[in-house]
Amino acid sequence: MKILIIGSGGREHALAWRGVHEGHEVSCAPGSAGMEADGVRCFGEVGVSDAAGILGLARDVGADFVLVGPEQPLVEGLADDLREAGVATLGASRASAVLEGSKAVAKAFMARHGIPTARHVTVTTLDEGFAALDSFEVAPVVKASGLAAGKGVTVPESFDEARSALRACIEGEKFGAAGQTVVLEERMLGEELSFFAISDGVNALTLSAAQDHKRIFDGDLGPNTGGMGAYAPAPLCDDALRERIERDIVAPTLAGLKAEGTPLVGVLFCGLMVSDDGAPRVIEYNVRFGDPETQPLMLGLTAPIMEHLRAAAVGDLRPGRIDVAPSVSVVMASAGYPESSTKGCAISGLDEVDDPDVKVFHAGTRRGADGGWETAGGRVLGVCARGPDLEAAIQKAYATIEGLSFEGAQIRRDIGAHARAK
Ligand code: AMP
Ligand code: GLY
């Protein structure tokens, strides 16, 4: 099978590597040097927002289907353009991508379809916002409604902090139009899960639940990032909880989208909070694979997935589940991340990694003038390992990191520690 993947980060590297591993011919736009090293044909001149270029490429390489990685091109309508031109595509339409592109729309959708989530109020002015704050007993979470690369959410400790966050969204420059509409949401307590379902618009194929580590520092301290590490399967998500998530959240979400005339042919990523009594509620929806979650998922899959992704893209998916063997990804990020990132630092040790249970995915690297690897982004590497259990996978990932270095690397030392303690 010939697969064309859109994107260039660690998530896309993991998907492309998996495709090659399953014996397929994988191309990627724009792709990365890290993918090329794994036998993926990359087209660096074709960007993720270049719909015409991507369509031409899909035809040139004879893609059986196109898999779109990041949210931005989905929100812009790339999947619609490809499907209209007759190219099978696994990626949300512009209309269904609104679930990710607007938190206000997503919250209203959940309310319409009885999908469990926290109470919220949507506001568009400071006065409305200040008035709405009074209706919460505990300072609510403040969310810029639009896309903000995972950085538009403040979980305040006080009402004063909530007011500042609200002001920053509505009056500040930081989020632009994305912050003009703000969702104030009851603060939920519990443990977070990342739950993925692949859909052809009707049926769902679910993967073992993963857990992400969003904060930059150990102990979940410091600002939110795109994700500093992840593991799967999450011990918290036993069979009973998985069934409950499939029945109470995934099924009504897909059915609701279909009923509203905007079926999701793509990936439904539910960010969930599971309370102490085991009840899952939706924190947010995304309509794509998560990063870094996809890295341990692709490394640990216990059965091939690419044929299912194609089946979903052509509207012929059989419902089911795929399990994942214990796997982890530990991110090595640049100095300054998430506020900024340094580029061009030499990375040593990459070519010495040699273990069938270890894979280092490239999130932000490039070849330097001397042909060696150097940093080229905020998140640089996703160091992944699998093992007979999570403990072994975690140890293997950190042992691999011992052999890798670049100046100023930021690494959380507690990825998976929580699961380990269970
Ligand atoms: P989001 O971008 O909506 O996933 O939010 C980013 C992070 O903020 C989540 O992963 C949670 O850690 C936290 N968060 C968002 N909404 C809530 C909520 N209602 N209660 C508690 N934490 C939340
Ligand atoms: N790791 C969370 C995300 O991809 O949004």
Side-chain angles (χ1 to χ4, degrees):
M1 192 162 67
K2 298 191 176 82
I3 307 168
L4 173 60
I5 295 176
I6 308 306
S8 60
R11 162 185 49 211
E12 289 79 16
H13 188 185
L15 291 163
W17 170 83
R18 184 77 211 176
V20 171
H21 180 75
E22 292 182 13
H24 305 295
E25 202 179 306
V26 183
S27 305
C28 193
S32 68
M35 293 188 207
E36 276 176 339
D38 282 338
V40 177
R41 231 175 121 194
C42 293
F43 296 84
E45 67 285 5
V46 180
V48 301
S49 294
D50 176 4
I54 290 168
L55 176 58
L57 192 54
R59 289 185 171 142
D60 287 350
V61 302
D64 290 290
F65 78 103
V66 177
L67 170 56
V68 184
E71 61 273 24
Q72 193 66 40
L74 295 170
V75 169
E76 290 165 3
L78 174 63
D80 306 73
D81 293 345
L82 292 172
R83 277 194 282 267
E84 268 164 36
V87 176
T89 301
L90 190 73
S93 63
R94 185 193 284 118
S96 54
V98 176
L99 278 196
E100 170 158 3
S102 166
K103 291 184 193 291
V105 168
K107 293 294 289 186
F109 174 89
M110 287 183 250
R112 281 199 298 285
H113 296 283
I115 291 156
T117 187
R119 185 177 85 79
H120 81 289
V121 182
T122 298
V123 302
T124 53
T125 66
L126 264 191
D127 285 349
E128 254 185 307
F130 288 155
L133 280 179
D134 292 339
S135 71
F136 289 89
E137 270 168 34
V138 174
V141 179
V142 179
K143 304 182 171 189
S145 178
L147 288 184
K151 293 158 199 157
V153 174
T154 305
V155 183
E157 294 305 329
S158 67
F159 278 94
D160 268 349
E161 208 189 315
R163 274 187 284 271
S164 321
L166 185 63
R167 193 181 286 282
C169 278
I170 290 186
E171 291 186 340
E173 307 282 288
K174 204 161 146 200
F175 306 118
Q180 295 304 297
T181 300
V182 180
V183 171
L184 302 175
E185 186 177 77
E186 170 205 339
R187 181 162 175 179
M188 294 186 271
L189 298 177
E191 238 187 272
E192 288 183 46
L193 279 185
S194 297
F195 197 85
F196 298 90
I198 291 123
S199 180
D200 61 356
V202 178
N203 291 324
L205 176 79
T206 66
L207 302 181
S208 304
Q211 246 170 348
D212 187 12
H213 298 65
K214 287 211 166 92
R215 307 292 189 121
I216 183 83
F217 300 129
D218 286 14
D220 291 327
L221 298 174
N224 262 325
T225 68
M228 291 297 290
Y231 62 90
L236 168 70
C237 192
D238 58 14
D239 254 11
L241 179 58
R242 187 163 174 185
E243 259 175 59
R244 186 166 173 180
I245 295 167
E246 287 166 348
R247 183 191 64 216
D248 296 347
I249 293 173
V250 174
T253 299
L254 295 174
L257 284 165
K258 183 161 187 297
E260 295 189 3
T262 55
L264 174 59
V265 179
V267 180
L268 177 67
F269 166 3
C270 301
L272 304 174
M273 186 74 86
V274 181
S275 60
D276 286 347
D277 61 2
R281 288 197 284 173
V282 177
I283 302 174
E284 66 159 357
Y285 288 123
N286 299 296
V287 293
R288 52 171 175 81
F289 279 114
D291 199 1
E293 290 95 323
T294 303
Q295 302 175 24
L297 290 174
M298 291 303 126
L299 183 66
L301 283 177
T302 56
I305 194 169
M306 291 294 149
E307 288 290 356
H308 296 289
L309 300 185
R310 189 200 61 85
V314 300
D316 187 25
L317 181 70
R318 266 187 291 166
R321 290 178 168 180
I322 302 189
D323 290 329
V324 174
S327 304
V328 65
S329 169
V330 180
V331 170
M332 296 179 74
S334 289
Y337 182 72
E339 281 80 18
S340 63
S341 68
T342 37
K343 291 193 169 80
C345 301
I347 306 171
S348 66
L350 264 179
D351 294 329
E352 281 81 64
V353 176
D354 181 23
D355 179 327
D357 289 323
V358 171
K359 179 67 200 163
V360 181
F361 294 115
H362 292 228
T365 69
R366 64 187 179 207
R367 294 279 190 190
D370 61 355
W373 294 105
E374 58 181 44
T375 64
R379 289 187 290 180
V380 177
L381 300 171
V383 181
C384 296
R386 68 185 162 209
D389 52 39
L390 268 176
E391 177 68 34
I394 291 166
Q395 279 185 14
K396 207 160 226 206
Y398 281 109
T400 304
I401 282 180
E402 291 302 306
L404 297 170
S405 69
F406 57 85
E407 201 188 319
Q410 300 193 79
I411 303 155
R412 273 186 65 162
R413 293 285 163 187
D414 62 348
I415 302 302
H418 194 65
R420 207 181 224 173
K422 280 197 188 296

